[in-house]
Amino acid sequence: QPGIFLNDTLLDFWLKLISRNESEKDSVIYVFNTKFYTKMLEEDGFKIVTSWTTTWEFDFFRKKMLFFPIHKEFYWSLCIVCNAGNNDSSDCEKEDTCFEVPFIVFLDPLDYHSR
């Protein structure tokens, strides 16, 4: 409805809902909380989010896809980091057939946020 905004609680719920059948530890995806990016931008934010990630029982760099919801200036966008920890192709016979290159997909349909 006009004048009503999508809040972070609803977005967190929706993102967890679509990944509900996935075990956080065994899944190939990880969805970060909507507050992650906002906290990271604050003063000492890097220390805060680093303390969050070091307490996890899994290495999120082994995930195929990392989802970062971004809320800035009353607008949502989504950053997806794919193959974040894949920087070694030593197990590959042919690099072009098995090496999965890290890349970022930035979903911002109105091109509102700076990449």
Side-chain angles (χ1 to χ4, degrees):
Q1 292 182 19
I4 299 193
F5 299 101
L6 177 64
N7 72 18
D8 56 341
T9 305
L10 291 173
L11 193 57
D12 274 333
F13 174 76
W14 183 79
L15 289 169
K16 289 296 181 185
L17 183 66
I18 63 172
S19 63
R20 71 184 174 277
N21 294 329
E22 301 283 332
S23 160
E24 261 187 11
K25 189 175 181 180
D26 300 327
S27 176
V28 295
I29 67 167
Y30 185 78
V31 179
F32 284 85
N33 183 297
T34 54
K35 294 185 183 357
F36 186 88
Y37 181 79
T38 307
K39 279 288 185 193
M40 192 170 60
L41 293 181
E42 293 177 1
E43 186 177 336
D44 292 332
F46 187 74
K47 285 182 183 179
I48 294 169
V49 297
T50 300
S51 70
W52 292 353
T53 58
T54 54
T55 60
W56 294 338
E57 295 179 8
F58 60 87
D59 181 6
F60 62 91
F61 282 108
R62 295 203 180 271
K63 305 293 183 187
K64 292 281 186 190
M65 299 170 73
L66 303 172
F67 290 78
F68 295 91
I70 298 171
H71 182 252
K72 198 172 170 186
E73 300 171 0
F74 303 107
Y75 185 73
W76 287 100
S77 57
L78 182 65
C79 182
I80 305 169
V81 178
C82 301
N83 306 315
N86 202 358
N87 58 9
D88 180 20
S89 61
S90 60
D91 293 337
C92 297
E93 290 177 18
K94 291 183 179 178
E95 191 170 313
D96 61 343
T97 60
C98 65
F99 184 70
E100 294 176 341
V101 178
F103 63 95
I104 296 174
V105 176
F106 190 68
L107 303 174
D108 184 5
L110 299 178
D111 202 26
Y112 191 75
H113 290 150
S114 171
R115 288 182 178 92

